[in-house]
Amino acid sequence: MKKRRYHWITFGLIIFLVFFLGWEAPLQARPKKTDKYPPETLFDTLPNPPFHLHPLLAPPIPPYNLQTPAKVALGKMLFFDPRLSRDNTVSCATCHNPEHGFSDARPVSIGIDGQKGTRNAPTIFNVAYNKTHFWDGRAGSLEEQALGPIQNPIEMGEDLNRLVQKLNGVPGYVEAFKKVFGTGVTADGIAQAIAAFERTILSNNSPLIDLWQAMITH
Ligand code: HEC
């Protein structure tokens, strides 16, 4: 009879893991009093846009860069803006093009002045779940990664100070940064907003995920 009890303990443990640990992700995303830019509503603090995702499926959101709809919108604007490159011709989306699954359908990427890179551009679908970035895993966070291609001489070739100055001359950006970060355009803000946008690029509307989600929530 003793053996049977172990089944209940295992069962209880599984329920505990699913429901308790499963809810931990959104709890982490709640604003703390000490957060510099507290989101305005609880809605703002949920991983965005996959609010509909069960917490077990939602990607982890770092507490130092919470998702808000305004931040994600700003990141999207930056991601698609060629003004982030030295000669205003190459955006992140040039090589991570949604029409090509957020990649560029080339063996190696082409940056400013038609320069060829040495590596293939990976998709950025689901990068929110990755613990390290790039083929060799050399970047640890999306925030850390985002400023790399901007300054890379064969990708976007732009100087960060020049870029910050350039974007501070665009009223739309000045307004958006003020709303999201309470500051003018900064390099950190650019990195955070782009990373927040990237965390929303999820392949969560596939039939498999729908099925998985249905199994977890019903
Ligand atoms: C000229 C083409 C090009 C541009 C422009 C570019 N990327 Fe990339 N991206 C690449 C290539 C190539 C890699 C792989 C590099 C490597 O692994 O060393 C990569 C890798 C990445 C990764 C890592 C993906 C993974 O699975 O590890 C992310 C995230 C990313 N880029 C985001 C961005 C963002 C954000 C921008 C704009 C600020 C940007 N990229 C601009 C070509 C580009």
Side-chain angles (χ1 to χ4, degrees), residues 2-213:
K2 217 175 184 187
K3 255 192 187 157
R4 259 198 170 169
R5 220 172 276 148
Y6 285 119
H7 292 315
W8 285 109
I9 292 170
T10 315
F11 181 67
L13 205 64
I14 290 170
I15 296 291
F16 170 80
L17 284 173
V18 169
F19 288 96
F20 181 75
L21 296 184
W23 282 104
E24 220 182 24
L27 286 179
Q28 277 172 3
R30 292 221 178 113
K32 284 183 237 87
K33 284 235 165 67
T34 50
D35 277 334
K36 207 165 161 200
Y37 313 111
E40 284 161 19
T41 66
L42 181 63
F43 180 76
D44 280 356
T45 69
L46 295 173
N48 175 42
F51 324 103
H52 60 287
L53 278 184
H54 184 275
L56 271 181
L57 299 180
I61 303 298
Y64 55 82
N65 189 15
L66 299 176
Q67 305 281 95
T68 66
K71 195 191 280 177
V72 170
L74 173 59
K76 184 173 181 181
M77 204 148 65
L78 290 163
F79 189 89
F80 287 93
D81 193 342
R83 283 176 293 190
L84 267 63
S85 67
R86 191 188 66 225
D87 59 1
N88 305 329
T89 59
V90 176
S91 72
C92 305
T94 304
C95 303
H96 303 285
N97 183 343
E99 286 178 15
H100 296 298
F102 285 98
S103 181
D104 59 4
R106 295 175 191 278
V108 295
S109 294
I110 298 182
I112 52 165
D113 304 327
Q115 296 180 93
K116 264 194 180 170
T118 52
R119 287 186 170 171
N120 176 258
T123 178
I124 56 164
F125 263 128
N126 302 326
V127 281
Y129 295 97
N130 293 356
K131 293 209 163 63
T132 56
H133 304 282
F134 288 128
W135 290 113
D136 48 17
R138 69 185 181 279
S141 70
L142 288 173
E143 285 78 4
E144 191 188 324
Q145 192 279 333
L147 300 177
I150 296 177
Q151 300 171 92
N152 185 320
I154 60 170
E155 293 189 327
M156 301 164 90
E158 180 59 298
D159 173 73
L160 274 189
N161 290 333
R162 230 183 68 122
L163 175 62
V164 166
Q165 225 174 347
K166 190 174 12 173
L167 297 190
N168 265 317
V170 181
Y173 276 126
V174 173
E175 202 179 300
F177 271 79
K178 191 155 178 48
K179 185 172 161 205
V180 175
F181 298 111
T183 63
V185 179
T186 63
D188 275 354
I190 293 173
Q192 290 194 9
I194 290 179
F197 167 63
E198 288 177 306
R199 290 195 177 95
T200 68
I201 303 172
L202 305 171
S203 56
N204 59 37
N205 57 353
S206 76
L208 178 66
I209 294 290
D210 286 349
L211 178 69
W212 190 7
Q213 172 122 321

